[in-house]
Amino acid sequence: MYTREIQDIAGVYGLQVHMYADDTQLYISFDPTNEKIIFENVQNCLEHIKWWMNTNYLKLNAGKTELVIINNKSDKTPNPTSIFLQKSDNNSTEPSTDARNLGIWFDQTLTMSSHVSRVIQSCWSQLANLWRIRKGLSIQLKTQLVHQLVHSRLDFGNGLLIGLSKRDLQRLQKVQNSAVRFVYGSKGRRGVTEMRKKLHFLPVEQRIQFKICLLVYKCLHGLVPEYLSDMITRRQPKSRKVRLDEDMTLLEKRHDTKYLTTQKAFSVCGPKLWNKLPKNLREATSLETFKKMLKSHLFTVAYPDNKAVTQPRTTKTKILNPSCP
């Protein structure tokens, strides 16, 4: 509560604020043609905040202040060299290639590769320690350790990994495959699909989809804050009646855009994934029921039955007319 006035100060300079405990984020969207004016506003806002903190016997920790400028890959405009917290001293915050926000690392183009690399590094460290103590552990205990030390890291903030590149998805999947080999004590190159299926582990891609669909369900049932639920709207009947008007569980889809960053937005990817779910799944009455049905559905998508269904052999019978000779 003692930092609530920061929101009013940022509003004077056109900046928006997100606060979580003692972590504060200032952000603003702008056109590259007006970057000089925007950067001056950011500098003046930081100076104002620092003055306010000094007045109220607080301190702005410049060492923990991070700045990242997010743009498109196609934008070749050079970023500013630094933004000063106060023009009277030499203390400055230089734009970095990535910045941490509530445990998630955001890079300049929102590819999430930086976050993936850090997650993989943390998971490999945990798996290395697990392999040292594997002897004498049961499969059930190994599975619990994998959930606690590996899946907890893979699933943290994985809703932001929607639209991840195939290369980064494969990197994350290799971590889970190694965890499956740890459970069964297999060090060979044999496939782990059947072992992963036996453990009822959803692959990384389906785990990401699970998180997005679960968040959409919570938005539709008032289980999330309004700033999230406002991004989801139910499909309204069109002026020209179509068959989809009879299904009230569908959501209004946003128009597709050529920008990959926009396609990753929750307001775009959420309805797209939700509308692909079976109707009986979208009509689930409770959260626990929805979770169980959603995992079963994604499990069948991840591990389809490869056995071909053989059609019964039919024989043509010729009916003769008794009147014919």
Side-chain angles (χ1 to χ4, degrees):
M1 297 300 292
Y2 57 89
T3 59
R4 187 176 181 86
E5 293 185 21
I6 294 180
Q7 188 171 2
D8 299 331
I9 297 174
V12 174
Y13 299 95
L15 277 71
Q16 298 183 3
V17 182
H18 270 173
M19 293 183 176
Y20 185 82
D22 60 344
D23 194 4
T24 304
Q25 299 94 36
L26 303 176
Y27 63 96
I28 187 173
S29 60
F30 61 92
D31 192 331
T33 57
N34 300 327
E35 62 179 13
K36 292 184 179 180
I37 300 176
I38 297 299
F39 294 154
E40 289 180 359
N41 289 342
V42 174
Q43 290 181 7
N44 295 332
C45 180
L46 293 176
E47 293 171 12
H48 194 167
I49 292 175
K50 187 172 184 179
W51 171 84
W52 177 84
M53 285 191 168
N54 292 335
T55 305
N56 291 273
Y57 303 100
L58 300 174
K59 181 181 179 180
L60 178 61
N61 193 339
K64 294 185 178 180
T65 302
E66 295 178 299
L67 171 68
V68 61
I69 300 175
I70 300 175
N71 51 17
N72 296 323
K73 290 184 179 180
S74 58
D75 188 5
K76 304 301 181 181
T77 305
N79 292 333
T81 57
S82 62
I83 291 183
F84 288 89
L85 293 177
Q86 190 173 5
K87 293 181 179 179
S88 60
D89 56 22
N90 295 324
N91 193 8
S92 63
T93 300
E94 297 182 357
S96 57
T97 57
D98 52 20
R100 188 177 184 180
N101 186 4
L102 300 180
I104 306 296
W105 288 89
F106 294 90
D107 52 64
Q108 292 181 330
T109 55
L110 291 182
T111 59
M112 306 305 293
S113 296
S114 178
H115 176 73
V116 170
S117 298
R118 286 175 168 84
V119 170
I120 291 174
Q121 182 180 3
S122 177
C123 290
W124 283 129
S125 176
Q126 296 296 328
L127 284 172
N129 294 330
L130 290 177
W131 275 103
R132 297 188 183 98
I133 62 172
R134 68 185 184 279
K135 295 182 180 180
L137 299 179
S138 63
I139 293 181
Q140 182 180 2
L141 184 56
K142 289 180 181 179
T143 304
Q144 294 177 356
L145 290 173
V146 168
H147 284 309
Q148 184 69 25
L149 300 176
V150 180
H151 279 162
S152 62
R153 288 168 168 80
L154 292 176
D155 293 342
F156 179 75
N158 63 345
L160 298 174
L161 302 182
I162 189 71
L164 199 65
S165 64
K166 292 183 178 181
R167 176 179 175 272
D168 288 333
L169 272 177
Q170 291 175 355
R171 294 170 62 198
L172 291 174
Q173 190 59 56
K174 287 181 180 179
V175 174
Q176 190 188 45
N177 293 345
S178 180
V180 172
R181 291 190 178 96
F182 159 75
V183 173
Y184 286 102
S186 173
K187 292 185 177 181
R189 292 181 174 271
R190 54 177 293 191
V192 296
T193 303
E194 290 300 325
M195 291 188 293
R196 192 172 62 234
K197 181 179 179 180
K198 188 176 180 180
L199 291 172
H200 292 273
F201 286 176
L202 285 177
V204 174
E205 184 176 4
Q206 277 68 38
R207 300 178 82 90
I208 296 173
Q209 296 176 3
F210 181 91
K211 185 66 70 65
I212 295 294
C213 293
L214 180 62
L215 190 56
V216 173
Y217 182 88
K218 291 182 178 180
C219 289
L220 295 175
H221 293 79
L223 302 177
V224 295
E226 291 185 2
Y227 74 90
L228 281 177
S229 59
D230 291 342
M231 298 181 184
I232 301 298
T233 56
R234 294 189 181 272
R235 186 181 183 278
Q236 300 297 328
K238 307 301 180 182
S239 56
R240 183 178 179 180
K241 292 185 178 181
V242 294
R243 193 185 310 173
L244 296 178
D245 292 340
E246 300 177 359
D247 192 350
M248 303 303 296
T249 62
L250 295 176
L251 300 179
E252 195 72 36
K253 293 196 303 182
R254 301 289 182 90
H255 295 290
D256 292 335
T257 175
K258 62 179 180 180
Y259 296 110
L260 182 60
T261 305
T262 308
Q263 294 177 6
K264 297 178 182 180
F266 176 66
S267 58
V268 177
C269 67
K272 186 179 296 185
L273 291 175
W274 177 265
N275 292 343
K276 292 181 181 180
L277 298 178
K279 185 177 180 181
N280 63 332
L281 179 55
R282 299 195 302 265
E283 293 176 344
T285 56
S286 65
L287 182 61
E288 294 300 325
T289 302
F290 178 78
K291 287 181 179 180
K292 293 179 182 179
M293 295 177 64
L294 179 59
K295 183 178 180 180
S296 300
H297 170 70
L298 294 178
F299 194 84
T300 57
V301 172
Y303 309 105
D305 190 4
N306 296 325
K307 296 181 180 180
V309 180
T310 57
Q311 299 292 338
R313 191 173 181 180
T314 58
T315 57
K316 296 182 179 179
T317 57
K318 185 176 181 180
I319 301 177
L320 299 178
N321 193 344
S323 60
C324 296

